[in-house]
Amino acid sequence: MVQSAPKVLTVDEFISHYGECDRYELIDGELIEMEPTGPHEQVSALIGRKLNVEIDRQELSYFIPHRCLIKLLGTETAFRPDVIVLDQTQLINEPLWQQEPVITSGNSIKLIAEVVSTNWQNDYARKAEDYALLGVHEYWIVDYLGIGGREYIGKPKQPTITICTLIEDEYQKQLFQNNDQLISSIFPNLQLTAQQVFTAGRSVIQ
């Protein structure tokens, strides 16, 4: 039986058909299922809650949207970050924002956090490269299960948060494990350890 090749989608087609569906993003015209689990959502929720506390405490002009797509101009790629912190003062320069929650400029983005799942290669390689090119200043790779490649999280593999900080046009990466205090250039007063994040992925109330 000959299997037909999957249909290649444009970004506009993707936004039209899947913009409201949190389960998919688009990479090079290919529909990618994000495969979220309950623990994955618990980790994302904890990070969002902690960052919102900092936003309120510092009275910053930032916010975390419930849903948001990042459209990479000149490509057929639209990422759907697990957590994204936007700068409200920059949204006036976003051509699509008034009609759809779609971001096209790195200037609008203060921080992105991706919670690693089975397609971890995208988070560590593809997205790290594309977010750097876009100019996203800070990118967190939250590998609460420790499933990324050894070249990314070391040996033996263990749960790791990689915080990538943009220096010129490349990310400088710092790894946080166990009870390490996370260091964020966007939220320098953040009080959060790697272990607190990992524990969120294991918390089930009896």
Side-chain angles (χ1 to χ4, degrees):
M1 179 178 173
V2 178
Q3 194 170 21
S4 61
K7 181 180 185 296
V8 175
L9 295 176
T10 67
V11 170
D12 290 341
E13 288 173 333
F14 172 75
I15 292 172
S16 176
H17 292 93
Y18 298 97
E20 297 295 313
C21 180
D22 292 343
R23 292 188 65 88
Y24 298 99
E25 59 186 358
L26 190 72
I27 299 181
D28 296 331
E30 181 183 354
L31 196 63
I32 304 295
E33 187 167 3
M34 299 176 68
E35 303 174 357
T37 64
H40 177 284
E41 295 304 291
Q42 287 174 260
V43 171
S44 298
L46 174 79
I47 293 169
R49 187 168 75 247
K50 294 292 186 180
L51 296 184
N52 267 324
V53 168
E54 287 300 299
I55 291 169
D56 283 347
R57 193 175 62 80
Q58 298 180 53
E59 298 183 345
L60 299 169
S61 61
Y62 306 162
F63 73 103
I64 299 174
H66 174 64
R67 64 169 57 90
C68 181
L69 287 170
I70 299 174
K71 180 179 179 179
L72 300 182
L73 297 178
T75 74
E76 300 304 344
T77 295
F79 293 132
R80 192 186 301 275
D82 291 311
V83 179
I84 182 169
V85 179
L86 298 178
D87 184 347
Q88 293 190 73
T89 67
Q90 296 295 319
L91 296 180
I92 191 172
N93 301 314
E94 287 290 347
L96 303 175
W97 185 259
Q98 293 300 320
Q99 288 75 41
E100 299 166 308
V102 178
I103 294 297
T104 61
S105 170
N107 291 331
S108 303
I109 304 168
K110 304 307 295 184
L111 181 151
I112 288 175
E114 297 283 11
V115 180
V116 174
S117 54
T118 52
N119 53 355
W120 55 265
Q121 295 92 338
N122 286 335
D123 296 323
Y124 280 104
R126 177 59 188 271
K127 290 184 180 180
E129 181 178 338
D130 283 340
Y131 289 157
L133 287 172
L134 188 61
V136 177
H137 184 73
E138 187 165 307
Y139 171 40
W140 295 14
I141 307 171
V142 183
D143 193 348
Y144 72 101
L145 294 173
I147 59 176
R150 292 185 179 89
E151 67 270 32
Y152 298 113
I153 62 175
K155 184 179 179 180
K157 296 204 295 185
Q158 61 178 306
T160 302
I161 297 174
T162 304
I163 294 184
C164 309
T165 304
L166 197 64
I167 306 298
E168 295 183 352
D169 59 352
E170 292 186 359
Y171 278 137
Q172 301 296 314
K173 300 176 182 179
Q174 188 170 0
L175 273 57
F176 299 87
Q177 299 170 334
N178 301 310
N179 289 312
D180 293 341
Q181 183 86 27
L182 301 186
I183 299 173
S184 166
S185 61
I186 301 298
F187 298 102
N189 298 316
L190 179 67
Q191 297 296 309
L192 183 63
T193 68
Q195 192 60 51
Q196 284 176 282
V197 177
F198 304 148
T199 300
R202 298 193 295 267
S203 298
V204 177
I205 298 175
Q206 301 294 328

